[in-house]
């Protein structure tokens, strides 16, 4: 019987499991930690806008196995807090898992629109979707000739929309160039707001706009999508953009499992949690990552980000284990908030603080930092129990030393 059950094998769930295992080991406790996840891998979700997305995964067993966390491959379908049981469906059928402490870390999902043709939209929210987009792009040179063959429409100019639009400019060219079709490539960014990236801050906007100009990304602002068909994206102002590729990025919501707890949720479906990440009103249940509206510094609430999911996981796991052992729990704190937005072939942009002040650094430095985050900082160590447990300590931050730019 699992004493601590973690549901979800993303950043928050994986670090919750290792964080709990670390405290139990420190106290020589015999309690067990079990993680429930539908797939065998940690998906490096922040990289799914990049080319070759299938590579961005880490086998969970190489992180959990060395520190004694058991993994069950199944999808949780129900939570009964009165009976302290989670129901799950897996390859072996339906199962019921009791728990003493539960960490809900089932992440978030893109909210898909319902307009006609919405089924034709691609996205980069999950590994399957990102791989499907990659396969679609690679098949474009074999698609019938005609308008929009190498045009992609990206809907939503928020964080993910800007990253995939700027990246697609290069990815489409790489696909079309060997066939002498690079000059047919076009990326159109559609946004219902009058500006791109409002949520990314005023200061970053000129940098983003320059990057879009440099890469030739066309903006259609103040409009949304009315319908999509095989050959075009039809906008709300009546215009049709001939395009064989449409990518939806607008709107993310916390996992539906959050609705199964008798607790308050915010407008993103995230659970209200206290300073220890315990779900308010449900004492044996903790929430972490995109499922939790945790308090961040200076009265802010965490964002749905890897940056916040990782420390939340470590604290939630630690606190669930501390709670079980009757030890003092640690109030959640985060590193100061920063953002690093990829701008594809035009570099990247860095901001710091909740007011998103622009870091005036060379583009090459911002890009190097994005690469460091995506290719190294967010990856867990594997196969090495000592290093996994060291990094699972909530006092160890994600960021690594990186020399400040000179000149
Ligand atoms: C394209 C893209 C770019 C991004 N860029 C950045 C960035 O630059 N910086 C940043 O900080 N963040 C970024 N993010 C956001 C970041 O990826 C998420 O905030 C982060 O992954 C949240 O971690 P999580 O563990 O809460 O959820 P997830 O990583 O979504 O993991 C949830 C896990 O729960 C599992 N699960 C779901 N339902 C169930 C169920 N019923 N039963 C069992 N398991 C279940 C899922 O399979 C998954 O393994 C980006 C996201 C995307 C899509």
């Amino acid at each position: 019987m699992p004493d601590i059950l973690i549901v979800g094998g993303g950043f928050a769930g994986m670090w919750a499991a290792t964080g709990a295992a670390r405290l139990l080991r420190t106290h020589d406790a015999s309690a067990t930690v079990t993680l429930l996840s539908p797939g065998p891998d940690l998906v490096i979700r922040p990289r799914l806008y990049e080319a070759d997305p299938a590579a961005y995964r880490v086998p969970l067993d190489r992180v959990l196995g060395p520190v004694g966390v058991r993994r069950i491959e199944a999808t949780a379908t129900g939570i009964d807090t009165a009976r302290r049981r989670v129901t799950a469906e897996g390859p072996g059928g339906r199962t019921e898992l009791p728990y003493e402490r539960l960490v809900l870390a089932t992440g978030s999902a893109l909210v898909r629109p319902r307009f006609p043709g919405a089924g034709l939209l691609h996205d980069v929210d999950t590994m399957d979707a990102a791989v499907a987009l990659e396969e679609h792009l690679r098949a474009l040179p074999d698609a019938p000739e005609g308008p929009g063959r190498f045009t992609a429409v990206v809907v939503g100019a928020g964080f993910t929309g800007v990253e995939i639009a700027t990246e697609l400019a290069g990815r489409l060219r790489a696909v079309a160039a060997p066939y002498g079709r690079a000059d047919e490539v076009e990326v159109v960014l559609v946004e219902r707001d009058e500006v791109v990236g409002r949520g990314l801050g005023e200061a970053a906007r000129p940098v983003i706009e320059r990057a879009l100009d440099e890469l030739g990304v066309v903006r259609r602002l103040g409009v949304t999508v009315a319908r999509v068909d095989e050959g075009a994206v039809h906008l709300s102002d009546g215009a049709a953009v001939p395009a064989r590729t449409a990518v939806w990025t607008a709107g993310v919501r916390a996992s539906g499992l959050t609705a199964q707890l008798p607790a308050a949720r915010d407008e993103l479906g995230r659970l209200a949690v206290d300073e220890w990440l315990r779900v308010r009103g449900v004492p044996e249940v903790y929430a972490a990552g995109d499922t939790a509206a945790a308090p961040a510094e200076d009265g802010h609430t965490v964002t749905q980000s890897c940056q916040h999911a990782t420390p939340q996981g470590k604290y939630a796991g630690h606190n669930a284990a501390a709670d079980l052992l009757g030890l003092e729990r640690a109030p959640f704190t985060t590193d100061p908030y920063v953002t690093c937005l990829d701008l594809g072939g035009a570099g990247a942009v860095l901001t710091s603080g909740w007011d998103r002040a622009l870091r005036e650094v060379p583009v090459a430095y911002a890009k190097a930092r994005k690469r460091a985050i995506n290719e190294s900082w967010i990856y867990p160590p594997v196969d090495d129990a000592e290093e996994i447990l060291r990094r699972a300590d909530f006092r160890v931050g994600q960021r690594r030393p990186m020399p400040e730019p000179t000149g």
Side-chain angles (χ1 to χ4, degrees):
M1 180 229 262
D3 295 306
I4 300 175
L5 179 62
I6 318 283
V7 185
F11 292 94
M14 180 202 63
W15 287 116
T18 52
R22 179 190 156 274
L23 190 72
L24 295 175
R25 202 175 272 214
T26 312
H27 289 268
D28 253 341
S30 61
T32 61
V33 184
T34 304
L35 183 141
L36 194 66
S37 174
D41 298 318
L42 167 74
V43 172
I44 308 296
R45 209 173 155 203
R47 297 193 70 180
L48 295 180
Y49 67 96
E50 294 183 46
D52 299 321
Y56 308 137
R57 55 174 102 216
V58 175
L60 281 166
D61 288 342
R62 294 183 63 186
V63 184
L64 304 179
V67 299
V69 173
R70 178 172 167 236
R71 185 176 65 83
I72 297 178
E73 207 152 300
T75 301
T77 50
I79 304 171
D80 183 339
T81 52
R83 292 173 57 236
R84 294 195 197 173
R85 275 175 158 65
V86 168
T87 28
E89 303 274 351
R94 189 166 181 274
T95 173
E96 264 206 354
L97 294 159
Y99 63 82
E100 291 298 323
R101 295 293 179 278
L102 177 72
V103 180
L104 185 64
T106 43
S108 59
L110 185 67
V111 182
R112 295 191 65 93
R114 289 164 185 268
F115 49 67
L120 295 168
L121 294 166
H122 288 273
D123 67 74
V124 288
D125 197 50
T126 62
M127 174 63 82
D128 286 352
V131 168
L133 172 62
E134 174 85 352
E135 285 169 0
H136 166 84
L137 296 176
R138 287 185 192 278
L140 285 174
D142 299 322
E145 294 271 355
R149 180 153 68 134
F150 294 107
T151 301
V153 172
V154 174
V155 192
F159 198 100
T160 302
V162 170
E163 285 198 331
I164 184 69
T166 51
E167 188 75 9
L168 271 179
R171 285 173 68 183
L172 273 169
R173 271 188 198 101
V175 164
Y179 300 85
R181 302 300 183 98
D183 56 347
E184 290 177 34
V185 168
E186 187 165 47
V187 178
V188 180
L189 185 56
V190 172
E191 166 60 53
R192 76 163 74 212
D193 201 346
E194 298 296 335
V195 294
V196 294
R198 187 180 294 281
L200 304 171
E202 298 277 316
R205 192 170 310 130
V207 184
I208 296 170
E209 284 175 339
R210 268 200 308 278
L212 295 172
D213 287 342
E214 184 183 326
L215 299 169
V217 175
V218 175
R219 274 85 90 197
R220 292 298 317 269
L221 303 175
V223 289
T224 184
V225 174
R227 67 187 173 88
V228 177
D229 59 36
E230 298 280 355
V233 174
H234 301 264
L235 303 180
S236 54
D237 63 1
V241 181
R244 303 275 179 88
T245 307
V247 183
W248 182 263
T249 71
V252 166
R253 245 186 108 70
S255 143
L257 274 186
T258 54
Q260 300 216 1
L261 298 180
R265 295 187 300 150
D266 72 0
E267 69 287 353
L268 297 172
R270 301 183 299 177
L271 291 157
V273 294
D274 64 18
E275 60 184 314
W276 299 292
L277 305 184
R278 193 170 59 167
V279 177
R280 289 189 186 277
V282 196
E284 296 84 20
V285 181
Y286 291 76
D290 286 1
T291 57
E297 71 268 30
D298 303 331
H300 292 280
T301 301
V302 291
T303 54
Q304 285 180 308
S305 64
C306 185
Q307 173 179 177
H308 285 143
T310 294
Q312 283 182 78
K314 295 180 187 181
Y315 276 92
H318 174 93
N319 285 339
D323 200 4
L324 195 65
L325 301 181
L327 301 170
E328 199 177 331
R329 290 167 299 175
F332 172 66
T333 60
T334 59
D335 285 343
Y337 184 55
V338 294
T339 62
C340 189
L341 176 76
D342 206 339
L343 296 171
V349 59
L350 263 176
T351 70
S352 54
W354 290 89
D355 57 356
R356 296 171 190 267
L358 185 65
R359 290 278 315 276
E360 304 275 1
V361 292
V363 160
Y365 176 85
K367 187 71 173 184
R369 176 141 172 172
K370 186 71 186 182
R371 295 262 65 87
I373 293 168
N374 278 11
E375 293 167 13
S376 165
W377 296 3
I378 60 177
Y379 277 75
V382 292
D383 304 330
D384 177 347
E386 204 179 314
E387 180 61 6
I388 294 163
L389 293 174
R390 188 189 72 77
R391 291 269 299 280
D393 187 336
F394 62 85
R395 289 163 298 199
V396 175
Q398 259 178 304
R399 293 172 200 161
R400 315 279 170 74
M402 187 163 164
E404 284 297 305
T406 49

